[in-house]
Short mmCIF file of all heavy atoms in Angstrom, two decimals:
data_model
loop_
_atom_site.label_atom_id
_atom_site.label_comp_id
_atom_site.label_asym_id
_atom_site.label_seq_id
_atom_site.Cartn_x
_atom_site.Cartn_y
_atom_site.Cartn_z
N HIS A 160 113.66 104.28 74.23
CA HIS A 160 112.55 104.90 74.98
C HIS A 160 111.74 103.74 75.57
O HIS A 160 111.00 103.07 74.87
CB HIS A 160 111.70 105.76 74.05
CG HIS A 160 110.69 106.60 74.76
ND1 HIS A 160 110.18 107.77 74.23
CD2 HIS A 160 110.09 106.46 75.97
CE1 HIS A 160 109.31 108.31 75.08
NE2 HIS A 160 109.24 107.52 76.14
N VAL A 161 111.92 103.55 76.88
CA VAL A 161 111.40 102.35 77.53
C VAL A 161 109.96 102.60 78.02
O VAL A 161 109.66 102.56 79.22
CB VAL A 161 112.32 101.90 78.68
CG1 VAL A 161 111.94 100.51 79.17
CG2 VAL A 161 113.77 101.90 78.24
N GLY A 162 109.10 102.88 77.09
CA GLY A 162 107.68 102.97 77.39
C GLY A 162 107.20 104.32 77.90
O GLY A 162 107.95 105.10 78.46
N ASP A 163 105.92 104.55 77.71
CA ASP A 163 105.23 105.81 78.00
C ASP A 163 105.80 106.91 77.12
O ASP A 163 106.70 107.67 77.48
CB ASP A 163 105.29 106.16 79.49
CG ASP A 163 104.35 105.28 80.30
OD1 ASP A 163 103.67 104.41 79.70
OD2 ASP A 163 104.29 105.44 81.53
N ILE A 164 105.22 106.96 75.94
CA ILE A 164 105.70 107.76 74.82
C ILE A 164 104.65 108.82 74.49
O ILE A 164 103.54 108.46 74.11
CB ILE A 164 105.97 106.86 73.60
CG1 ILE A 164 107.01 105.79 73.94
CG2 ILE A 164 106.41 107.68 72.40
CD1 ILE A 164 107.08 104.65 72.93
N ALA A 165 104.93 110.06 74.71
CA ALA A 165 104.07 111.19 74.30
C ALA A 165 103.03 111.60 75.34
O ALA A 165 102.74 112.75 75.53
CB ALA A 165 103.39 110.95 72.95
N TYR A 166 102.40 110.63 75.99
CA TYR A 166 101.31 110.95 76.95
C TYR A 166 100.15 111.66 76.27
O TYR A 166 99.54 112.55 76.86
CB TYR A 166 101.83 111.75 78.14
CG TYR A 166 102.65 110.94 79.12
CD1 TYR A 166 103.99 110.67 78.88
CD2 TYR A 166 102.07 110.41 80.28
CE1 TYR A 166 104.73 109.91 79.77
CE2 TYR A 166 102.81 109.66 81.17
CZ TYR A 166 104.13 109.41 80.91
OH TYR A 166 104.88 108.65 81.79
N ALA A 167 99.86 111.28 75.04
CA ALA A 167 98.67 111.84 74.38
C ALA A 167 97.40 111.47 75.14
O ALA A 167 96.40 112.19 75.07
CB ALA A 167 98.58 111.34 72.94
N ASP A 168 97.45 110.37 75.89
CA ASP A 168 96.26 109.96 76.64
C ASP A 168 95.99 110.86 77.85
O ASP A 168 95.01 110.65 78.57
CB ASP A 168 96.36 108.49 77.07
CG ASP A 168 97.50 108.24 78.05
OD1 ASP A 168 98.41 109.09 78.16
OD2 ASP A 168 97.49 107.18 78.71
N TYR A 169 96.82 111.87 78.03
CA TYR A 169 96.56 112.89 79.06
C TYR A 169 95.62 113.98 78.57
O TYR A 169 95.31 114.91 79.32
CB TYR A 169 97.89 113.54 79.49
CG TYR A 169 98.48 112.95 80.75
CD1 TYR A 169 98.68 111.58 80.88
CD2 TYR A 169 98.86 113.76 81.80
CE1 TYR A 169 99.24 111.05 82.02
CE2 TYR A 169 99.42 113.24 82.95
CZ TYR A 169 99.60 111.88 83.05
OH TYR A 169 100.15 111.34 84.19
N TRP A 170 95.17 113.90 77.31
CA TRP A 170 94.40 115.00 76.74
C TRP A 170 93.21 115.38 77.61
O TRP A 170 92.96 116.57 77.85
CB TRP A 170 93.94 114.65 75.32
CG TRP A 170 92.89 113.57 75.28
CD1 TRP A 170 93.11 112.22 75.25
CD2 TRP A 170 91.48 113.74 75.29
NE1 TRP A 170 91.92 111.54 75.25
CE2 TRP A 170 90.90 112.45 75.27
CE3 TRP A 170 90.64 114.85 75.31
CZ2 TRP A 170 89.52 112.24 75.28
CZ3 TRP A 170 89.26 114.65 75.31
CH2 TRP A 170 88.71 113.36 75.30
N LEU A 171 92.48 114.36 78.12
CA LEU A 171 91.27 114.66 78.88
C LEU A 171 91.62 115.26 80.24
O LEU A 171 90.99 116.23 80.69
CB LEU A 171 90.45 113.37 79.04
CG LEU A 171 89.12 113.52 79.79
CD1 LEU A 171 88.23 114.58 79.19
CD2 LEU A 171 88.40 112.16 79.84
N LYS A 172 92.65 114.71 80.87
CA LYS A 172 93.10 115.25 82.15
C LYS A 172 93.53 116.70 82.00
O LYS A 172 93.21 117.56 82.83
CB LYS A 172 94.25 114.40 82.68
CG LYS A 172 94.76 114.78 84.04
CD LYS A 172 95.81 113.78 84.51
CE LYS A 172 96.17 114.01 85.97
NZ LYS A 172 97.08 112.97 86.47
N GLU A 173 94.24 116.99 80.91
CA GLU A 173 94.70 118.37 80.69
C GLU A 173 93.54 119.31 80.41
O GLU A 173 93.58 120.48 80.77
CB GLU A 173 95.73 118.39 79.55
CG GLU A 173 97.03 117.67 79.92
CD GLU A 173 98.11 117.74 78.84
OE1 GLU A 173 98.13 118.72 78.07
OE2 GLU A 173 98.92 116.82 78.77
N GLU A 174 92.50 118.78 79.78
CA GLU A 174 91.30 119.61 79.58
C GLU A 174 90.55 119.83 80.88
O GLU A 174 90.13 120.95 81.20
CB GLU A 174 90.38 118.95 78.55
CG GLU A 174 90.92 119.01 77.14
CD GLU A 174 89.89 118.58 76.10
OE1 GLU A 174 88.71 118.40 76.46
OE2 GLU A 174 90.28 118.44 74.93
N ILE A 175 90.39 118.76 81.65
CA ILE A 175 89.66 118.87 82.92
C ILE A 175 90.34 119.88 83.84
O ILE A 175 89.68 120.64 84.55
CB ILE A 175 89.56 117.48 83.60
CG1 ILE A 175 88.60 116.58 82.82
CG2 ILE A 175 89.12 117.61 85.05
CD1 ILE A 175 88.63 115.12 83.25
N GLN A 176 91.66 119.88 83.80
CA GLN A 176 92.41 120.80 84.67
C GLN A 176 92.55 122.20 84.08
O GLN A 176 93.23 123.05 84.65
CB GLN A 176 93.78 120.20 85.00
CG GLN A 176 93.67 118.90 85.81
CD GLN A 176 95.01 118.37 86.28
OE1 GLN A 176 96.05 118.96 86.01
NE2 GLN A 176 94.98 117.25 86.99
#
Side-chain angles (χ1 to χ4, degrees):
H160 190 155
V161 192
D163 286 0
I164 301 165
Y166 286 82
D168 64 343
Y169 263 52
W170 69 273
L171 181 55
K172 184 174 189 175
E173 293 183 28
E174 289 190 9
I175 289 169
Q176 296 186 0

